Amino acid sequence: DGGITQSPKYLFRKEGQNVTLSCEQNLNHDAMYWYRQDPGQGLRLIYYSQIVNDFQKGDIAEGYSVSREKKESFPLTVTSAQKNPTAFYLCASSPRGGSTDTQYFGPGTRLTVL
Amino acid sequence: KQEVTQIPAALSVPEGENLVLNCSFTDSAIYNLQWFRQDPGKGLTSLLLIQSSQREQTSGRLNASLDKSSGRSTLYIAASQPGDSATYLCAVNLWGANNLFFGTGTRLTVIP
């Protein structure tokens, strides 16, 4: 099956802890993205990566970090510096990145800070 | 900065009705516009993508239109069914941008 997988589906974290969300794709896409979704708001871009070993900050990157060591994987770390991390996190990928592409989304991870 | 607005925020209709969802955007320099469906607690599924040079796209009971000059798009759903109940999101892709700009969504409930 081709697609994007995110794990875990639900994640609970204590305040002050870092936590890493997994995103894997087997679509051979170059570009990958992380979005955050809060109730009553549209999706907001956290980070994106157009190629391996390169990534760019989105609109709300503060308190988050990413890595892109492999084409298939784009993990997101929510650090203790993120003041309000409880949200639904969506990962996406696209064939090449940029304006021309359609983005394909994973099933999401719901993070709750206790 | 691109602002994308969707009205209404929520809509309930009886089964079988035709309905229209609205999306407006502030920057008309878009490359394309997409409509997505999101079921509760799930990821997004792409429904229709309209290029800036197109006026509309159709897929089954769905028809999306685009009026770039007025900054508007509509998603028309014909003969609605309970299975259509979901949140519908529109998103625009700007020329030279690397991310989608999303609206806040319309939560649709189709009552059997």
Side-chain angles (χ1 to χ4, degrees), chain A residues 9 33 35 37 40-45 48 50 59 88 90 97-108 110, chain B residues 1 31-32 34 36 38 41-46 49 51 89 93-105:
Chain A
K9 187 173 181 179
Y33 311 79
Y35 291 90
Q37 187 176 33
Q41 298 194 39
L43 276 70
R44 293 179 290 166
L45 183 69
Y48 66 93
Q50 288 201 272
D59 299 324
F88 190 51
L90 287 158
S99 308
T100 60
D101 269 2
T102 298
Q103 292 184 21
Y104 299 84
F105 284 80
R110 184 164 299 281
Chain B
K1 187 185 172 184
Y31 189 85
N32 58 45
Q34 278 186 269
F36 291 90
Q38 185 177 31
K42 307 281 187 180
L44 278 62
T45 301
S46 180
L49 182 149
Q51 301 293 349
L89 297 158
N93 225 337
L94 295 181
W95 281 97
N98 288 295
N99 64 295
L100 294 171
F101 293 88
F102 282 85
T104 52

Side-chain angles (χ1 to χ4, degrees), chain B residues 48-96:
Chain B
L48 289 163
L49 182 149
I50 312 178
Q51 301 293 349
S52 62
S53 57
Q54 296 175 318
R55 300 281 296 183
E56 63 179 79
Q57 279 286 342
T58 299
S59 175
R61 293 183 294 108
L62 305 180
N63 175 277
S65 68
L66 175 64
D67 184 342
K68 209 171 66 161
S69 60
S70 67
R72 291 182 184 175
S73 175
T74 61
L75 179 67
Y76 174 83
I77 302 178
S80 58
Q81 302 170 359
D84 295 330
S85 298
T87 296
Y88 291 82
L89 297 158
C90 72
V92 298
N93 225 337
L94 295 181
W95 281 97

Side-chain angles (χ1 to χ4, degrees), chain A:
Chain A
D1 269 345
I4 303 173
T5 57
Q6 291 185 242
S7 61
K9 187 173 181 179
Y10 299 98
L11 188 56
F12 298 90
R13 189 195 92 174
K14 292 182 181 178
E15 277 195 39
Q17 287 182 337
N18 293 355
V19 64
T20 297
L21 282 60
S22 167
C23 178
E24 304 276 332
Q25 54 98 0
N26 61 3
L27 301 167
N28 199 32
H29 286 174
D30 286 332
M32 297 186 75
Y33 311 79
W34 275 106
Y35 291 90
R36 170 182 171 139
Q37 187 176 33
D38 294 280
Q41 298 194 39
L43 276 70
R44 293 179 290 166
L45 183 69
I46 305 172
Y47 269 98
Y48 66 93
S49 166
Q50 288 201 272
I51 55 172
V52 173
N53 292 323
D54 184 65
F55 45 83
Q56 305 294 328
K57 291 182 180 180
D59 299 324
I60 54 165
E62 185 176 351
Y64 299 97
S65 66
V66 293
S67 63
R68 187 89 188 273
E69 297 176 3
K70 299 187 298 182
K71 188 175 184 178
E72 314 81 63
S73 179
F74 191 40
L76 174 74
T77 296
V78 184
T79 74
S80 56
Q82 170 47 236
K83 293 181 180 141
N84 184 21
T86 294
F88 190 51
Y89 290 86
L90 287 158
C91 178
S93 70
S94 66
R96 294 167 302 279
S99 308
T100 60
D101 269 2
T102 298
Q103 292 184 21
Y104 299 84
F105 284 80
T109 292
R110 184 164 299 281
L111 172 64
T112 302
V113 173
L114 304 173

